[in-house]
Amino acid sequence: MKGIKKSLTEEYLYLDFSHQVEGCIFPLHTSVTLFLLSYCDCKLFKVCLVLTRESTDVSLLSVLSQDVEIQTISRQELPAIVQSCHLPAVVETPDNFCRAGLAVVLRHIIHKSCEADPSKKEILELLGFKKTCLKACAEVSQWTRLCEITIPLAIENFLKESFNQHLTIPAEILQLEKKLSEPVRVHNDDKLRRQKLKQQKAARVGPSLAQEKIKSKVHVQETSEDVDSSSRSLELQVALSKLTVQEEPATPNREPSHIRKAKASDLPPLEHVFAEGLYFTLTDIVLLPCIHHFLLIICKKLSEKLVEFPLLAAWYQRIQEVPRVKTAASQCGIHFFQLPELPSTSDEPHPNLNGAPGVEEQNEPSFIGGPRPTMTKLMEKGIEAVFSPHPCPAWTLDWDHLPVAVSPKEGKMSSDRALRKQQQLNNLVYVVANQAKPGDRIVDFCSGGGHVGIVLAHMLPSCQVTLIENKELSLIRAKKRSDELGLSNVWFIQANMEYFTGMFNIGVALHACGVATDMVIELCIKTRASFVTCPCCYGFIQNTSKFNFPKSEQFKKTLSYKENSACAWWTWTEQELLKNMATPFK
């Protein structure tokens, strides 16, 4: 086919498999990944099902389409780098670059599909307007965590308990129903709302004429899976048009005067069409297998509860209109069913929505603000900053005689910033080099372009160094520098920190953003590993599913959340002024 690239790196996709029941593949992360492969018609990966302890058979082979080539292996047969990660995972040969975690793997499948066949522009649209769909780390993004982790786990537990007489609706499903009721915001919000106002006004005169006008406006292309377009809302027509045809040039015709002059507050709101708003995205791909099996159990055993989920039910019916979704789903053993017609419901929120998980809002009317009152409170409690002298202030790496690729200057940064980075590396490398022993495993968390990890790998060839970073481009730059140096003791893992499960002796983090430094320290303590960290961005710390601030017992008794944040912000601002004097913390 024209536009398809032939020479692509061979990659292996590893998926957990325990069992399957009535087309439901466990764990659901595997079901989601196989569904995306089918939707993208992607055959670029060698798929390996990794049998878990619960695996009893491989009857999954009879569920999947014959087009999907898979093999089954045991966990002991996994490459060493993959054994340090939660699945799903993708590994490039020669097994030193791994991508792990559902969102990271799914985004990679989309990019590889488009790289192999650039004509698949609708596949790239799954990543959203700014190509950031599910890109934020689940550790700090409530939405990513809900879709990537908590909903699949909640549905798995719900399905396992489906044989019980008293089923409990997962709180995460209630939270998703609430999310679908929220206002939709898109980049061309105002334009679409004015089109909708025009449609509503025209409908009062002639409904059929209005539908014809709006249909020609958004250029909807009918497919075999489409329903009668005259019954669609403007939002759904616009959403489906984005999936079927290329965007048409803007028409020079202006909207009527009364539409152009309408106040924003008078414009009708846009309906929630798909999970993230107006357009079909990767989030819908993730949710489809989960919601399908949830609704299947609800209809079979708790049919009276279905009325409590009108938005989820509407979403389930709507998603079947997306081209290729039905075909892709059937190839993965997902067979859509017709939901019973729901009676009209009130606009009252679900009584249990307040029980949905989330981060508590901070309400502190007594907060004064500013660093001075905060520092005064700390000093009154006998809490003061204590500074230790540098253990060896004269020690430095001989940068002039190191290979060029070791220098931070190779990491795409300015000369001034590279000089500051060298000074910071002098501190961290000194401490790590004095701690490390031959054979130690060293992990550079939030490694970025590998400024710390590559220096350590070069200076400590008898140690195994692993770089963990969520941003793909940064890690690719690090691997390029490593290849230029011919390093053989480095692994590269693109993943959120929670997906790393390997054992290690020393953890390192230079300027891990926000709460990431706390996460590194917590993981090192849990693993009983030494750690060397230099924090950054503490002006942006916030309560997450992982942590609540203040953390220390003394600070909890003295400072409120906002006072702690003010103190952190002030400390971070001071640090910006003293960057060239960064001090390692052991």
Side-chain angles (χ1 to χ4, degrees):
M1 183 182 293
K2 184 179 179 181
I4 294 181
K5 297 182 180 179
K6 300 287 185 181
S7 57
L8 293 170
T9 305
E10 187 173 58
E11 299 186 41
Y12 286 79
L13 172 60
Y14 297 97
L15 304 171
D16 274 324
F17 173 65
S18 59
H19 64 286
Q20 68 90 18
V21 179
E22 296 181 356
C24 180
I25 302 168
F26 285 84
L28 283 172
H29 277 189
T30 295
S31 183
V32 169
T33 307
L34 291 172
F35 174 53
L36 178 65
L37 285 173
S38 182
Y39 179 81
C40 296
D41 192 24
C42 179
K43 301 179 179 64
L44 301 172
F45 301 90
K46 294 186 179 297
V47 181
C48 300
L49 294 180
V50 183
L51 303 180
T52 65
R53 294 177 181 177
E54 295 80 18
S55 303
T56 54
D57 58 60
V58 289
S59 55
L60 173 65
L61 295 171
S62 62
V63 176
L64 300 176
S65 164
Q66 297 300 316
D67 292 337
V68 181
E69 295 183 13
I70 60 175
Q71 58 177 307
T72 58
I73 63 172
S74 66
R75 187 160 292 274
Q76 290 71 30
E77 296 175 271
L78 284 171
I81 190 172
V82 182
Q83 292 188 27
S84 296
C85 303
H86 280 301
L87 302 185
V90 172
V91 176
E92 296 179 8
T93 53
D95 296 349
N96 69 341
F97 196 112
C98 175
R99 295 171 174 86
L102 183 65
V104 166
V105 167
L106 297 184
R107 289 177 58 86
H108 181 63
I109 290 173
I110 291 171
H111 282 302
K112 295 297 287 187
S113 297
C114 295
E115 179 185 334
D117 186 356
S119 67
K120 293 182 176 180
K121 294 182 178 180
E122 75 283 0
I123 300 299
L124 194 60
E125 294 293 339
L126 290 173
L127 298 180
F129 175 56
K130 294 185 178 180
K131 306 298 179 280
T132 56
C133 182
L134 299 185
K135 188 176 182 179
C137 297
E139 293 93 340
V140 295
S141 168
Q142 293 182 56
W143 177 241
T144 300
R145 189 171 193 83
L146 180 69
C147 300
E148 181 184 21
I149 298 176
T150 56
I151 284 182
L153 285 177
I155 298 302
E156 283 180 16
N157 292 331
F158 182 75
L159 294 174
K160 289 175 184 176
E161 296 172 2
S162 61
F163 298 103
N164 298 338
Q165 290 185 347
H166 303 289
L167 282 174
T168 303
I169 302 297
E172 292 79 5
I173 293 297
L174 302 176
Q175 190 175 358
L176 181 58
E177 177 74 13
K178 181 180 180 181
K179 177 72 177 179
L180 294 177
S181 69
E182 294 176 358
V184 172
R185 293 182 177 86
V186 291
H187 67 281
N188 54 348
D189 177 278
D190 186 81
K191 176 182 175 182
L192 293 174
R193 290 172 67 194
R194 292 186 190 280
Q195 286 185 29
K196 186 170 183 178
L197 178 63
K198 181 180 177 182
Q199 178 188 15
Q200 290 177 346
K201 289 182 177 294
R204 295 171 190 153
V205 180
S208 60
L209 179 61
Q211 286 289 347
E212 285 300 316
K213 285 183 178 180
I214 203 67
K215 179 181 175 182
S216 63
K217 183 89 172 176
V218 297
H219 308 281
V220 175
Q221 175 180 308
E222 300 297 332
T223 70
S224 58
E225 294 183 328
D226 284 342
V227 299
D228 180 12
S229 63
S230 63
S231 63
R232 295 184 181 134
S233 66
L234 175 136
E235 292 91 330
L236 184 55
Q237 292 184 47
V238 171
L240 294 180
S241 71
K242 194 176 183 72
L243 294 168
T244 54
V245 295
Q246 294 187 3
E247 206 170 312
E248 294 289 333
T251 174
N253 296 331
R254 302 180 70 187
E255 299 288 1
S257 174
H258 67 283
I259 299 296
R260 284 187 284 111
K261 294 180 179 180
K263 296 180 181 178
S265 58
D266 295 333
L267 298 178
L270 296 175
E271 297 174 10
H272 223 105
V273 180
F274 294 113
E276 292 204 355
L278 197 58
Y279 301 118
F280 182 71
T281 65
L282 179 58
T283 303
D284 298 285
I285 294 282
V286 173
L287 293 175
L288 177 56
C290 304
I291 302 306
H292 167 76
H293 295 297
F294 168 75
L295 292 176
L296 197 61
I297 295 299
I298 288 293
C299 289
K300 284 182 178 180
K301 301 196 172 184
L302 295 170
S303 56
E304 72 281 1
K305 293 283 187 180
L306 186 60
V307 70
E308 297 178 5
F309 304 100
L311 301 180
L312 269 181
W315 172 88
Y316 180 74
Q317 301 285 33
R318 199 178 296 127
I319 206 169
Q320 299 176 47
E321 297 185 43
V322 176
R324 298 200 316 278
V325 161
K326 282 186 176 179
T327 302
S330 65
Q331 290 174 346
C332 299
I334 299 173
H335 302 289
F336 289 106
F337 63 97
Q338 188 66 35
L339 291 173
E341 200 165 323
L342 298 179
S344 59
T345 57
S346 66
D347 294 331
E348 291 294 319
H350 192 284
N352 294 325
L353 279 180
N354 292 332
V359 177
E360 293 182 6
E361 294 293 327
Q362 300 296 328
N363 184 20
E364 300 170 12
S366 60
F367 175 63
I368 299 174
R372 194 175 299 277
T374 302
M375 296 303 292
T376 300
K377 286 184 69 174
L378 290 174
M379 293 176 67
E380 289 173 350
K381 294 289 185 177
I383 302 173
E384 294 188 54
V386 177
F387 298 93
S388 302
H390 196 292
C392 190
W395 189 88
T396 180
L397 287 163
D398 189 359
W399 294 102
D400 292 334
H401 292 87
L402 288 175
V404 175
V406 174
S407 172
K409 294 179 182 178
E410 293 298 296
K412 306 296 181 185
M413 62 174 62
S414 66
S415 298
D416 290 343
R417 188 181 171 203
L419 178 61
R420 290 198 302 270
K421 188 67 68 176
Q422 286 180 347
Q423 294 165 341
Q424 295 158 10
L425 292 174
N426 284 338
N427 291 326
L428 268 72
V429 172
Y430 171 82
V431 178
V432 176
N434 279 275
Q435 287 285 321
K437 302 182 295 295
D440 274 356
R441 297 176 181 272
I442 302 171
V443 179
D444 179 11
F445 292 98
C446 306
S447 65
H451 302 305
V452 178
I454 287 176
V455 175
L456 291 174
H458 179 77
M459 299 293 295
L460 304 168
S462 62
C463 296
Q464 174 69 44
V465 180
T466 300
L467 276 62
I468 299 179
E469 170 60 46
N470 180 258
K471 297 182 179 65
E472 182 180 34
L473 293 180
S474 297
L475 210 56
I476 289 174
R477 283 200 299 270
K479 187 177 187 304
K480 182 180 178 182
R481 293 170 62 191
S482 174
D483 291 343
E484 290 175 6
L485 291 165
L487 298 175
S488 59
N489 60 331
V490 187
W491 282 350
F492 304 88
I493 299 178
Q494 184 197 351
N496 296 342
M497 212 178 302
E498 284 185 316
Y499 281 101
F500 177 71
T501 60
M503 298 300 295
F504 58 99
N505 306 99
I506 303 175
V508 184
L510 174 60
H511 292 175
C513 293
V515 300
T517 296
D518 293 279
M519 294 175 61
V520 171
I521 294 174
E522 182 187 63
L523 181 57
C524 290
I525 293 173
K526 181 180 178 182
T527 313
R528 301 184 67 81
S530 301
F531 58 88
V532 184
T533 65
C534 179
C536 180
C537 302
Y538 262 71
F540 301 101
I541 61 170
Q542 58 182 332
N543 286 347
T544 68
S545 59
K546 297 286 294 182
F547 298 113
N548 286 317
F549 294 91
K551 289 191 67 182
S552 75
E553 291 302 322
Q554 286 196 38
F555 270 50
K556 285 179 183 176
K557 295 175 182 177
T558 309
L559 300 182
S560 66
Y561 172 80
K562 288 185 178 179
E563 287 170 335
N564 182 76
S565 298
C567 183
W569 173 256
W570 176 73
T571 306
W572 176 76
T573 304
E574 182 184 50
Q575 183 187 24
E576 286 293 289
L577 299 174
L578 301 172
K579 267 186 175 178
N580 61 340
M581 299 177 64
T583 302
F585 293 84
K586 174 68 174 73

